[in-house]
Amino acid sequence: MRPILLQGHTRPLTQIKYNKEGDLLFTVAKDKVVNVWYSHNGERLGTYDGHEGALWTLDVNTASTLLVTGAADNTARLWDVKTGKELHKWLLNDTAVRRVMFSKDEKYILCVTDKQMGNKPGIFVVSTDPETNYEVVKVIRDMDSKVTVAGWSYYDKYILAGHEDGTLTIYDWKNEDGNYIYKQVKGAHEGLITDLQLSTDGTYFITSGKDKYARLWDSSTLDCLKEYKADTSLNTASITPTQDMVVLGGGQAASEVTTTSSRQGKFESRFYHLIFETELGRTKGHFGPINTIAIHPKGKGFSSGGEDGYVRIHHFDPDYFKFNYSSVLLSISDHTTRTKIQNTNVDPVVFGFLLGALIDTNIVEIRQAAELRLDSKDGITSDDPRNIQVDTNFLQDRIHQLKQTYPDFEPVGWYITTSTLGFDDHIISIHKQVSSIVENPVVLLADLDFVTEANKTGRDVSIPIRLYGQASIVSTENVKSKGDVEGEKGSSTTPPIIKVDEFTFAQIPFNIELDQSESTVIDHISKYAGDSHYSVSLPSSALDSDPNQDSITSGPNGPRKKSNMSVMISTQKSAIDMLVGDLKILSRYVSDVIDKKAPVDEEILQMAYNICCNIPTFTTDPVFETSFLEQQTDVLILDYLNTLTKNLDIVTRVIQKANPITQLLDPKPKETPGGKRRHRRDQFGDIAGFGASSRLMSSMRRL
């Protein structure tokens, strides 16, 4: 993700914003200059000249025809985007204009004015209609602390405002009684609220503050939905429209930047998971605090403006759109990688807890992994294990948050990365503390540096992961050996029992779940290409048949069941048909409301608006189209590869049985240094085979 560096300002950036299509980027700074750029290559189109003071804010309308700006020269100005002509100038309150924003219907502009020289701060709503001479429609001054940031709620029904003292307020600006405060939350942040940005549909919004927190809020109730903690003060926060992420920016105060390196100043853009609140990564580049961040409206990238006077445009790599948070191993690997990069530790030790469900008496399904924190200053490397203190309050909070998203999951254990894959005093110390919250937790030990060994030897290396349970709850009679798991002949052996202090651990066998597209294809191949009596092609009638019916055709061995792929396709087709019918009903209702043939129901209109915002289409969302076609190609290529592999295997076995000469030509399996025959398959499944398939798919995509 190599950025494009824009050098069009000589002083710190104050706000940047994309237009609706995302092809233009507007920027303002304290140097009196308004710039507009092409977002795909960073070429500057031009400037809007006229302000006589530092610029604080800007906004552009949906059609990219009007631009509004606010500055320290005590004016807000309306511009023609195409010609750069100034259409109108508002003198509001004789103070600086700190925030401006078009309403959704673009009939009004919200303007927030500063407090200075005895003038009270205020919120002004002005008209964009030239026939009314751009009149001031509403003025709100009923506030104990000045407003620093503000925005319209959905349908422009309310005004959302953040204050200097950390208060959040919903103003009912259409109220004729003069009591404009609809809802208010004191202490939403400890101190100044620095930014407020809404989601695509306006039903929730995010705020940032100098207290090192960003928080997600419900636009109607002001309920705090999520909280994101950073290690530095925050100046800006934004919500990505396609992935479940938020991007935060900030850094050490500008007055102290000259005495601090960029690394110590923490001038990075931080990515957090929207739901799980965990930090996913950082983007460096600025050598001063980040003052403003804007996300591309279609989620293709983001831009940041800093105290250093530079704008950096980032276009996301394809891997960003393939991000999947649900994989346990990917979460642990990501945790390790981030810790290694941030702390420059060659071999970091990280740990966290595991969330899952008890399927049967002796079967546990692990579905999520999340990080844990330590109260110890020395971290997990402390010489004295007694100094390692798990932040149990943080653990309980994270479990509570995850259970809101996954109510059926319970904490089942914890994980730690270690090169020895064995127990020591540090691990036992952590296990004792986790056991006080999670009953009989399992322990997952992982060595994620195994790839280095594979690269050095050039051989396939099994994923070095071990799962342990306390022997008191693990039935050693039912634990199978590796040979039993793989279906090989031989007697079952007792798993290793490890006794440390008062704990007795037994190793537990496990399976790793494959990717959905791979498992779907395997199931489809096993039912359609696994029997030489059957045709490989999927019957066309499968798309229109009853998805609940088990058989679709008959073969020599009797009726065969549908594969998951055929059931999934037919189920999705039925769901899409129902969705199309519902959309037609909503479309007719909206048309009748416009024609004044039906009464206005705000709840139904809000639902229709949310649907329009959230349902992607091929014609309006190229990111969705690309992702969909890539997944479809993956499934088709895997289908072909598995079909060829399985049928080639059948042909080879037939030839070997029919021609005894081939038995002489076929060498025996090679012996490994350990004396055992080397098998391609291990207890985790044909992972190496699927790796080759993935590499082949990448090559075919490039072709």
Side-chain angles (χ1 to χ4, degrees):
M1 191 168 63
R2 187 174 181 178
I4 301 173
L5 190 65
L6 308 183
Q7 304 180 43
H9 295 280
T10 58
R11 296 197 63 197
L13 273 294
T14 51
Q15 191 174 11
I16 60 178
K17 185 163 284 191
Y18 287 93
N19 66 339
K20 183 181 180 181
E21 289 76 18
D23 59 333
L24 299 179
L25 179 67
F26 297 84
T27 64
V28 292
K30 296 180 181 180
D31 56 3
K32 308 179 185 179
V33 178
V34 184
N35 283 320
V36 57
W37 318 75
Y38 280 123
S39 62
H40 68 282
N41 61 5
E43 178 185 352
R44 183 161 65 173
L45 277 75
T47 61
Y48 301 86
D49 301 323
H51 279 287
E52 299 174 358
L55 280 146
W56 294 112
T57 179
L58 84 163
D59 193 21
V60 60
N61 69 343
T62 304
S64 301
T65 57
L66 297 176
L67 174 71
V68 60
T69 56
D73 60 2
N74 303 341
T75 67
R77 305 189 187 211
L78 188 66
W79 310 84
D80 184 297
V81 171
K82 185 176 181 180
T83 64
K85 179 183 177 182
E86 182 182 306
L87 302 178
H88 189 72
K89 178 172 66 176
W90 290 277
L91 289 169
L92 303 173
N93 204 33
D94 290 330
T95 58
V97 179
R98 288 284 186 168
R99 183 60 65 107
V100 294
M101 184 177 181
F102 281 100
S103 61
K104 295 293 189 299
D105 58 11
E106 301 178 1
K107 294 181 180 179
Y108 306 104
I109 297 174
L110 177 153
C111 301
V112 175
T113 60
D114 210 344
K115 176 184 178 181
Q116 64 186 48
M117 299 180 66
N119 292 318
K120 292 184 177 180
I123 299 176
F124 291 76
V125 178
V126 299
S127 173
T128 60
D129 187 0
E131 295 183 359
T132 64
N133 197 27
Y134 304 101
E135 64 177 345
V136 177
V137 178
K138 185 73 65 174
V139 179
I140 301 175
R141 296 183 185 272
D142 184 15
M143 55 190 70
D144 297 329
S145 175
K146 79 171 184 179
V147 175
T148 54
V149 289
W152 298 97
S153 70
Y154 57 89
Y155 286 141
D156 309 324
K157 188 174 182 180
Y158 302 109
I159 293 175
L160 310 169
H163 297 259
E164 188 178 34
D165 63 353
T167 300
L168 267 181
T169 306
I170 297 179
Y171 289 102
D172 184 1
W173 69 283
K174 295 182 180 180
N175 193 329
E176 300 298 335
D177 299 335
N179 184 18
Y180 298 114
I181 298 178
Y182 178 69
K183 286 184 183 294
Q184 195 171 66
V185 175
K186 297 283 188 180
H189 284 271
E190 294 181 7
L192 179 69
I193 297 179
T194 55
D195 197 8
L196 184 153
Q197 296 193 35
L198 285 89
S199 63
T200 304
D201 59 7
T203 56
Y204 57 95
F205 64 96
I206 190 170
T207 59
S208 61
K210 293 295 185 182
D211 57 357
K212 302 181 181 181
Y213 281 93
R215 294 183 172 94
L216 202 68
W217 306 87
D218 186 282
S219 298
S220 300
T221 62
L222 287 187
D223 291 335
C224 185
L225 305 176
K226 297 294 176 181
E227 183 179 84
Y228 314 97
K229 184 178 181 180
D231 54 358
T232 186
S233 60
L234 298 176
N235 298 328
T236 181
S238 190
I239 305 170
T240 59
T242 54
Q243 298 286 83
D244 290 330
M245 297 185 191
V246 298
V247 186
L248 314 180
Q252 189 177 11
S255 59
E256 303 174 5
V257 169
T258 55
T259 61
T260 306
S261 67
S262 60
R263 181 176 178 182
Q264 293 174 333
K266 303 173 182 177
F267 310 136
E268 305 109 338
S269 301
R270 295 163 168 79
F271 288 77
Y272 286 75
H273 196 278
L274 179 72
I275 299 173
F276 302 120
E277 306 173 359
T278 53
E279 186 178 349
L280 304 175
R282 300 187 183 187
T283 302
K284 299 180 180 180
H286 288 282
F287 50 90
I290 296 175
N291 294 334
T292 175
I293 285 177
I295 307 293
H296 191 284
K298 295 181 181 178
K300 295 180 178 180
F302 79 100
S303 297
S304 58
E307 193 75 18
D308 54 9
Y310 291 101
V311 177
R312 303 176 72 88
I313 300 179
H314 302 262
H315 297 285
F316 291 133
D317 296 329
D319 290 341
Y320 168 83
F321 303 101
K322 298 177 182 178
F323 174 77
N324 183 3
Y325 193 80
S326 60
S327 173
V328 174
L329 294 182
L330 284 179
S331 297
I332 298 175
S333 177
D334 175 70
H335 187 187
T336 304
T337 302
R338 284 189 291 104
T339 303
K340 182 182 295 186
I341 293 175
Q342 294 171 11
N343 301 328
T344 63
N345 192 339
V346 178
D347 188 19
V349 177
V350 299
F351 71 108
F353 69 95
L354 304 170
L355 206 67
L358 186 66
I359 306 301
D360 198 356
T361 306
N362 295 323
I363 301 177
V364 175
E365 181 182 20
I366 301 174
R367 298 296 297 173
Q368 292 290 341
E371 304 172 19
L372 284 179
R373 293 179 182 173
L374 290 177
D375 286 337
S376 171
K377 294 182 179 179
D378 298 331
I380 203 168
T381 58
S382 173
D383 295 334
D384 189 352
R386 292 174 297 180
N387 292 335
I388 299 176
Q389 295 295 325
V390 177
D391 191 340
T392 54
N393 293 329
F394 176 79
L395 171 59
Q396 291 173 332
D397 290 342
R398 296 291 290 125
I399 292 174
H400 175 71
Q401 293 166 359
L402 286 170
K403 281 183 66 64
Q404 291 179 345
T405 307
Y406 302 102
D408 296 332
F409 291 169
E410 297 288 343
V412 296
W414 66 286
Y415 70 84
I416 186 170
T417 59
T418 171
S419 58
T420 62
L421 292 179
F423 291 87
D424 56 22
D425 294 339
H426 298 80
I427 295 178
I428 295 301
S429 175
I430 298 174
H431 188 75
K432 289 180 181 179
Q433 298 176 63
V434 175
S435 299
S436 64
I437 298 176
V438 181
E439 183 179 0
N440 297 324
V442 298
V443 184
L444 189 151
L445 306 180
D447 177 15
L448 298 182
D449 287 332
F450 75 100
V451 178
T452 304
E453 179 184 351
N455 292 336
K456 289 180 179 178
T457 60
R459 297 185 295 104
D460 294 330
V461 180
S462 299
I463 301 178
I465 294 177
R466 293 178 184 174
L467 199 64
Y468 290 91
Q470 293 180 208
S472 58
I473 63 170
V474 176
S475 176
T476 57
E477 297 179 359
N478 296 329
V479 175
K480 298 180 180 180
S481 66
K482 178 181 178 181
D484 293 327
V485 173
E486 296 179 358
E488 300 173 354
K489 295 181 180 180
S491 60
S492 174
T493 58
T494 304
I497 303 295
I498 302 175
K499 184 174 178 59
V500 184
D501 292 348
E502 69 267 31
F503 299 106
T504 302
F505 298 97
Q507 190 171 346
I508 306 173
F510 61 92
N511 294 320
I512 296 178
E513 188 176 283
L514 295 173
D515 179 78
Q516 183 178 1
S517 61
E518 295 175 343
S519 59
T520 300
V521 170
I522 290 173
D523 174 78
H524 177 63
I525 292 299
S526 66
K527 290 184 171 64
Y528 287 95
D531 195 323
S532 59
H533 296 294
Y534 294 139
S535 171
V536 176
S537 60
L538 179 67
S540 59
S541 59
L543 297 178
D544 300 321
S545 58
D546 182 5
N548 297 320
Q549 185 177 345
D550 285 338
S551 60
I552 43 181
T553 187
S554 298
N557 299 327
R560 52 177 175 163
K561 292 184 177 181
K562 283 185 178 183
S563 70
N564 291 336
M565 182 184 294
S566 62
V567 174
M568 186 164 45
I569 291 175
S570 57
T571 303
Q572 289 179 349
K573 182 178 182 297
S574 301
I576 291 173
D577 290 340
M578 292 177 60
L579 178 61
V580 169
D582 294 341
L583 290 176
K584 287 181 178 178
I585 295 174
L586 281 175
S587 178
R588 286 199 298 268
Y589 171 74
V590 173
S591 298
D592 290 343
V593 170
I594 295 174
D595 297 336
K596 298 183 179 180
K597 296 180 181 179
V600 177
D601 188 316
E602 291 190 0
E603 185 175 353
I604 297 178
L605 291 176
Q606 176 65 33
M607 179 177 63
Y609 179 72
N610 291 343
I611 291 175
C612 292
C613 291
N614 294 328
I615 295 182
T617 61
F618 282 169
T619 57
T620 60
D621 195 342
V623 174
F624 172 78
E625 179 183 7
T626 302
S627 176
F628 177 83
L629 292 177
E630 284 187 357
Q631 291 180 26
Q632 183 187 37
T633 304
D634 288 354
V635 172
L636 290 176
I637 292 177
L638 282 170
D639 194 341
Y640 297 149
L641 287 173
N642 280 273
T643 302
L644 290 173
T645 303
K646 186 172 285 290
N647 285 282
L648 182 62
D649 183 60
I650 294 173
V651 172
T652 303
R653 289 201 304 268
V654 170
I655 293 175
Q656 289 177 346
K657 290 180 180 179
N659 189 359
I661 298 178
T662 59
Q663 302 288 341
L664 301 175
L665 299 177
D666 186 25
K668 295 182 179 180
K670 296 180 180 179
E671 297 287 336
T672 62
K676 295 184 179 180
R677 292 181 178 180
R678 179 182 169 193
H679 293 275
R680 183 70 168 174
R681 180 181 178 87
D682 59 16
Q683 71 185 80
F684 307 109
D686 294 328
I687 295 175
F690 279 108
S693 301
S694 300
R695 290 191 293 272
L696 179 58
M697 281 190 293
S698 299
S699 301
M700 293 186 70
R701 281 203 198 101
R702 288 194 293 271
L703 293 175

